[in-house]
Amino acid sequence: MNPADISAAVREHVRSVSLGESTGHDWWHVSRVAGLAATISEAEGGDPLRVELTALLHDVFDEKFYDGNAGAALSDLVEQLGIRAAFSDMVWDGIIYDILHLGFKGVFDRTPLSPEGQIVQDADRLDAMGAIGIARTFAYGAVKGQEIYNPESGCVEICTPEEYRNVNRSTINHFYEKLLLLRDRMNTDTARKIAERRHRFMEEYLAEFFAEWEYTVSCSRRDQDGCAGKKNQSG
Ligand code: NI
């Protein structure tokens, strides 16, 4: 198979298994990540086919949703799609290693990846930022049954990978434990530049979110004060 046919076979498969997925890890996420990764790779280098296949396959057996041995499942899929000959076994091992380690597992995670893996990691992280990142975060939170925000529990600090996976907290918390940290964790200069605007937009969004929340709280306080509030105003 030539690179175009390999790419088409993988695209077709991934599209068929991820189209309509509702947590923000759907085909359109994969497709955006592949596009971003190609853009970054044009400036930063790397084997284009390796970048593309890593991007297309990066969420197929994501540990958030897949309970089995993701490495073995990926290896079987390569066989099933008939694309094993595209790379040597050693390169496939590297690709699978990258895919298993490129997801965000908390601030403590700094697993080294190949140059192609780093590019796809940047692309995946860029798609978790900005307007699209915000939409995906609330979609994921809803599927996981999380509250949007709870001022009584406030911001929950996450200290270990286990807490990152298991502690129940609001979706707004996710901005502070992950999304706002991504800009400073990009591997490539190209991604760092793209991340800048997306980061600013998330900060503006949060400022607006909390301004509206505060405004609503002060309105209900005024209502509770009722006549007393008015009396104070008139002296
Ligand atoms: Ni992803």
Side-chain angles (χ1 to χ4, degrees):
M1 265 201 263
N2 62 39
D5 289 341
I6 292 168
S7 158
V10 178
R11 276 178 183 269
E12 175 62 34
H13 172 79
V14 177
R15 188 186 156 97
S16 74
V17 295
S18 61
L19 200 61
E21 199 274 346
S22 64
T23 72
H25 296 76
D26 59 335
W27 165 246
W28 303 114
H29 161 65
V30 176
S31 176
R32 287 190 304 269
V33 170
L36 280 164
T39 301
I40 298 168
S41 175
E42 271 170 33
E44 304 279 344
D47 177 322
L49 183 62
R50 178 166 174 171
V51 168
E52 188 182 13
L53 296 195
T54 305
L56 291 174
L57 294 170
H58 85 277
D59 270 340
V60 176
F61 298 108
D62 188 306
E63 57 148 12
K64 289 192 287 298
F65 314 106
Y66 183 74
D67 217 7
N69 181 336
L74 274 166
S75 193
D76 288 350
L77 181 60
V78 165
E79 218 63 66
Q80 186 195 316
L81 295 174
I83 58 170
R84 170 75 64 187
F87 298 110
S88 69
D89 285 351
M90 207 176 80
V91 173
W92 274 120
D93 286 348
I95 293 173
I96 291 172
Y97 181 88
D98 284 341
I99 290 172
L100 297 181
H101 294 90
L102 67 79
F104 189 87
K105 296 181 182 66
V107 289
F108 11 76
D109 180 44
R110 301 242 182 205
T111 307
L113 304 175
S114 74
E116 289 85 355
Q118 290 182 27
I119 286 169
V120 176
Q121 184 175 60
D122 280 358
D124 194 31
R125 289 178 172 182
L126 285 171
D127 204 56
M129 300 176 70
I132 287 177
I134 293 170
R136 292 182 62 224
T137 301
F138 285 106
Y140 184 76
V143 173
K144 288 281 167 188
Q146 290 171 347
E147 289 179 288
I148 291 174
Y149 176 61
N150 183 335
E152 286 167 7
S153 44
C155 195
V156 180
E157 206 185 340
I158 299 296
C159 299
T160 67
E162 290 68 39
E163 286 178 359
Y164 186 75
R165 277 285 160 259
N166 303 323
V167 171
N168 192 24
R169 66 254 190 218
S170 76
T171 298
I172 285 291
N173 212 77
H174 199 57
F175 286 84
Y176 297 95
E177 73 204 21
K178 174 177 172 184
L179 306 187
L180 293 172
L181 308 177
L182 294 175
R183 178 189 60 177
D184 297 331
R185 281 183 167 65
M186 293 294 159
N187 302 298
T188 64
D189 286 341
T190 307
R192 248 184 299 280
K193 279 187 208 122
I194 304 171
E196 200 52 55
R197 180 186 167 123
R198 296 181 185 209
H199 183 88
R200 258 202 321 274
F201 183 76
M202 292 192 297
E203 286 182 331
E204 283 164 21
Y205 171 78
L206 287 169
E208 194 65 20
F209 180 94
F210 286 113
E212 286 179 16
W213 196 289
E214 272 310 307
Y215 180 77
T216 315
V217 170
S218 59
C219 283
S220 63
R221 259 192 226 122
R222 252 198 322 271
D223 290 348
Q224 279 163 20
D225 287 349
C227 292
K230 278 185 196 136
K231 247 186 239 159
N232 286 343
Q233 274 169 23
S234 61

